[in-house]
Amino acid sequence: MEQKKKIRLADIAKEIGVSSVTISKALTDKEGVSDDLRKQIKQLAESMGYKTKKLKTVSTSAGTTGNIGILIPSRFFSRDSSYYWYLFNFLSKELLSRNYYSIMELLSDNDEKNLVLPRMISDNKVDGLIVLGQTNDDYLEAVSKLYKTFILLDFYSTKLDVDSVSNDDYYFSYKITNYVISQGHKKLRFVGNFEATTSICDRYMGFQKAMLENSLQTTIGEIIPDRDENGKRIEIPLPEDMPTAFICNCDETAALLINQLEEKGIKVPEDVSVSGYDNYVSNNKLDIGLTTVYIHPESIVRIAADLIIRKITGTPYMKGRHLVSGELIIRESVQKNDFISSN
């Protein structure tokens, strides 16, 4: 009978009861598999019709280690207050469920500037790499010249053809801004540095679209920064001409803004409304529920894990930018502005 489908590593792994990583190590004569098990796997692979030459499509200079590297720019990472620490935990659990271990390395500003390749790649410790957090194009280009099996997570490159997984930031920022406007707010300010990350850029463009469609004027010069061009946090400069609502690029920024407003005696939402993005606030405890956008971390890491493993194993996949949807979470930080609505 004609074979209905091509036999994959996962098929052999399921048949014998071990991981795909073990199967790959056995078939490529890598360390980490006993001689008896290696012989058993090769015999089974041959009997199932697996063609060993398919392993040539695996795109990794590190061989097969069973490890996937997670590279995070140090400016975005803090164990106590980082969204990426939160996302890394979901990602490492997802990879472990697929029989891969995670190795995390922080990318210093100096290494990024000097185009230093991650140590875990130089030392052949990983089969693939996930870059988590905005990294400059010069660095990504330097990595891609020496290493092909990597993807970007939570950002993308506008200049390089690199596979990525990111939130549908443009649409959901548009959606949350539209919601705030629907509550009677006509005087809105966006909080976030337009040039810091692709995510913030897209969220600002979504904000702009909602403002324009509602015939509300706003300019790029009215953006209120929350960080410098390298992504490092700065004190948020409060405007003298206070808006009725702030649209923040993330929940951490929203929490900091609310704390600063309260220090000035400005109450949220009685005096001004505030929205965020991410549905994540770490140590910045708030006494008020924050209206925000929730991109489920389980969804984004599942797609990222699937993408990087397909690149590692040579399995066909859809190249390019992968967008993850989310949902609007309505809480009390945005209050209906009846005064503005009546004018």
Side-chain angles (χ1 to χ4, degrees):
M1 181 181 294
E2 185 178 351
Q3 187 173 304
K4 295 183 179 180
K5 67 174 184 177
K6 294 181 180 179
I7 300 300
R8 302 178 302 167
L9 296 180
D11 300 320
I12 304 171
K14 183 177 180 182
E15 187 71 22
I16 201 171
V18 298
S19 71
S20 297
V21 175
T22 300
I23 299 297
S24 181
K25 287 182 177 180
L27 295 178
T28 54
D29 293 320
K30 301 293 183 182
E31 296 181 356
V33 183
S34 68
D35 292 338
D36 288 342
L37 180 57
R38 189 188 310 277
K39 182 178 179 180
Q40 184 181 358
I41 289 172
K42 288 186 174 182
Q43 290 176 344
L44 177 60
E46 183 178 357
S47 68
M48 292 177 68
Y50 181 78
K51 297 185 181 300
T52 307
K53 64 180 182 180
K54 290 295 182 182
L55 290 177
K56 293 180 181 179
T57 62
V58 176
S59 175
T60 172
S61 60
T64 303
T65 66
N67 301 322
I68 292 177
I70 315 296
L71 183 67
I72 307 176
S74 58
R75 60 185 174 276
F76 295 135
F77 188 83
S78 165
R79 185 183 295 268
D80 297 323
S81 61
S82 173
Y83 175 70
Y84 288 133
W85 172 252
Y86 165 75
L87 200 59
F88 169 77
N89 280 301
F90 281 95
L91 181 57
S92 60
K93 290 176 183 177
E94 179 65 27
L95 292 173
L96 188 59
S97 74
R98 298 171 184 244
N99 299 312
Y100 282 90
Y101 291 97
S102 302
I103 297 179
M104 183 178 69
E105 183 176 325
L106 296 182
L107 175 63
S108 69
D109 293 344
N110 189 57
D111 281 354
E112 184 175 6
K113 179 180 179 181
N114 293 305
L115 309 181
V116 178
L117 200 67
R119 276 69 171 177
M120 53 190 165
I121 292 179
S122 301
D123 296 340
N124 295 333
K125 296 296 185 182
V126 296
D127 299 333
L129 178 70
I130 298 175
V131 183
L132 176 55
Q134 188 81 40
T135 310
N136 70 58
D137 286 321
D138 288 341
Y139 186 80
L140 295 177
E141 185 175 15
V143 172
S144 67
K145 288 179 179 178
L146 299 171
Y147 193 80
K148 301 300 181 183
T149 315
F150 74 98
I151 67 170
L152 312 180
L153 179 56
D154 200 46
F155 77 107
Y156 60 93
S157 172
T158 58
K159 297 180 179 179
L160 303 175
D161 184 20
V162 181
D163 297 314
S164 65
V165 181
S166 56
N167 305 329
D168 194 354
D169 293 312
Y170 175 80
Y171 174 72
F172 280 98
S173 183
Y174 164 77
K175 190 171 182 178
I176 197 170
T177 304
N178 252 339
Y179 169 74
V180 174
I181 294 172
S182 75
Q183 298 306 295
H185 296 276
K186 294 183 179 180
K187 193 174 182 181
L188 287 72
R189 295 287 293 272
F190 183 85
V191 185
N193 191 320
F194 178 84
E195 299 177 342
T197 69
T198 55
S199 295
I200 298 177
C201 176
D202 286 350
R203 291 172 193 181
Y204 175 70
M205 296 308 294
F207 165 81
Q208 274 278 29
K209 175 179 170 64
M211 293 290 283
L212 290 171
E213 286 188 353
N214 286 277
S215 300
L216 300 176
Q217 293 186 349
T218 180
T219 67
I220 195 169
E222 293 179 326
I223 296 176
I224 300 173
D226 67 332
R227 64 194 78 195
D228 62 23
E229 64 276 5
N230 295 315
K232 293 183 178 179
R233 295 280 183 181
I234 62 173
E235 184 176 354
I236 300 171
L238 298 179
E240 293 184 7
D241 185 16
M242 192 66 62
T244 64
F246 291 95
I247 307 295
C248 297
N249 77 90
C250 67
D251 287 356
E252 293 284 357
T253 291
L256 292 172
L257 175 63
I258 290 173
N259 289 335
Q260 284 187 225
L261 290 170
E262 290 180 346
E263 289 175 0
K264 298 290 186 179
I266 302 171
K267 297 181 180 179
V268 177
E270 292 86 353
D271 299 324
V272 64
S273 290
V274 176
S275 71
Y277 201 106
D278 289 333
N279 197 42
Y280 174 80
V281 178
S282 55
N283 290 340
N284 296 303
K285 295 183 179 179
L286 293 173
D287 295 328
I288 184 172
L290 189 62
T291 292
T292 189
V293 171
Y294 186 30
I295 307 292
H296 295 267
E298 299 91 341
S299 299
I300 194 168
V301 301
R302 189 179 302 118
I303 294 172
D306 184 67
L307 181 59
I308 190 61
I309 291 172
R310 283 177 177 272
K311 287 174 73 74
I312 289 170
T313 59
T315 306
Y317 69 95
M318 184 176 294
K319 300 179 183 296
R321 185 180 172 199
H322 300 253
L323 290 180
V324 183
S325 189
E327 62 177 310
L328 188 61
I329 305 293
I330 306 300
R331 300 192 181 104
E332 61 267 27
S333 68
V334 175
Q335 182 173 274
K336 195 171 184 63
N337 194 339
D338 293 323
F339 175 79
I340 294 295
S341 298
S342 63
N343 285 273

